[in-house]
């Protein structure tokens, strides 16, 4: 019997899009997207969520459906669920577009730099640890990379920690070195 050869699978780099603002992450974990959301995102999401049931109430007032006493409540519940789903997707979309660099993202870049530099200083993995094999992490990354662009077609979120985010992580290590050097200089 001969040796079993380990077949090396090719690495598929993240595609870099030409955007007006810098890319923060081409495949951010859902927790980061939710954590980096702005107050305006919450407000737009809440307004979107309230629009469905609100419009149903307006339509019922101007053009009554005459469904009877128990017929309007299920319609309002359905409108509420659809509204909540649409509100969450709108909220999520606004936040993830900043990661992609599609909209202004200065605040998120500063938060990202601070979070990652702190992780470097604590000697933690930048994007967390995963129980998946590197190959499966790559599969997960390729399936959810830039998935926020198609959120209105199929909601797809990244729940996997992996190292394939489409950015050069050297900037975090360089900034951590500068900060540690400044701390050493100030301590002396």
């Amino acid at each position: 019997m001969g040796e079993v050869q380990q077949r090396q699978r090719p690495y598929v780099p993240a595609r870099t899009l030409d955007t007006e603002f810098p890319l923060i992450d081409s495949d951010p974990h859902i927790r980061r997207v939710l954590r980096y959301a702005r107050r305006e995102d919450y407000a737009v999401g809440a307004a979107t969520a309230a629009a469905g049931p609100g419009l149903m109430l307006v339509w019922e007032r101007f053009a009554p459906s005459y469904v009877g006493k128990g017929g309007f409540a299920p319609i309002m519940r359905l409108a509420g669920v659809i509204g909540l789903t649409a509100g969450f997707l709108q909220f999520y979309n606004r936040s993830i577009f900043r990661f992609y660099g599609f909209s202004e993202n200065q605040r998120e870049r500063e938060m990202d730099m601070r979070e990652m530099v702190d992780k470097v200083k604590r000697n933690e993995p930048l994007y967390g640890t995963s129980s998946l094999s590197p190959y499966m992490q790559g599969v997960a990354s390729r399936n959810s990379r830039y998935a926020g662009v198609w959120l209105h077609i199929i909601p797809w979120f990244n729940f996997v920690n992996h190292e394939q985010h489409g950015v050069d992580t050297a900037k975090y290590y360089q900034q951590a070195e500068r900060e540690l050097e400044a701390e050493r200089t100030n301590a002396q």
Side-chain angles (χ1 to χ4, degrees):
M1 295 267 176
E3 278 185 36
V4 176
Q5 286 187 335
Q6 231 8 354
R7 192 171 133 217
Q8 182 68 21
R9 298 187 187 266
Y11 169 70
V12 179
R15 181 177 180 187
T16 305
L17 302 178
D18 185 27
T19 59
E20 185 178 348
F21 302 98
L23 172 72
I24 297 172
D25 194 336
S26 65
D27 190 21
H29 196 281
I30 188 171
R31 282 181 296 196
R32 286 188 78 201
V33 176
L34 298 177
R35 206 171 55 236
Y36 282 38
R38 296 180 180 182
R39 274 181 268 150
E40 307 92 71
D41 300 338
Y42 286 100
V44 169
T48 303
L55 284 172
M56 289 303 297
L57 286 172
V58 169
W59 286 331
E60 184 65 20
R61 172 146 333 271
F62 289 109
S65 61
Y66 303 110
V67 293
K69 187 173 183 178
F72 193 63
I75 294 169
M76 285 303 291
R77 282 194 293 272
L78 178 63
V81 168
I82 292 172
L84 285 173
T85 302
F88 174 75
L89 293 177
Q90 178 69 10
F91 156 80
Y92 188 86
N93 224 15
R94 287 176 54 94
S95 182
I96 201 167
F97 275 11
R98 287 192 204 92
F99 279 92
Y100 298 156
F102 293 166
S103 57
E104 186 277 319
N105 61 4
Q106 180 63 36
R107 174 186 165 270
E108 287 74 14
R109 282 185 292 166
E110 291 169 1
M111 289 175 67
D112 174 63
M113 183 61 78
R114 181 77 272 132
E115 177 185 2
M116 296 304 177
V117 167
D118 289 345
K119 284 185 176 186
V120 169
K121 287 180 176 179
R122 291 189 308 263
N123 204 23
E124 295 176 1
L126 291 180
Y127 297 104
T129 58
S130 178
S131 60
L132 296 177
S133 69
Y135 172 72
M136 289 308 296
Q137 290 177 34
V139 169
S141 171
R142 289 186 295 277
N143 284 333
S144 60
R145 190 178 298 151
Y146 289 112
V149 175
W150 301 103
L151 202 63
H152 60 288
I153 304 295
I154 181 167
W156 196 279
F157 309 100
N158 175 21
F159 294 104
V160 176
N161 291 322
H162 57 77
E163 298 296 322
Q164 301 176 23
H165 293 269
V167 293
D168 183 12
T169 57
K171 62 185 176 184
Y172 305 127
Y173 292 95
Q174 293 165 352
Q175 180 65 25
E177 287 176 8
R178 285 191 287 271
E179 289 182 13
L180 289 171
E181 184 61 36
E183 289 171 8
R184 278 192 289 271
T185 304
N186 291 339
Q188 293 177 355

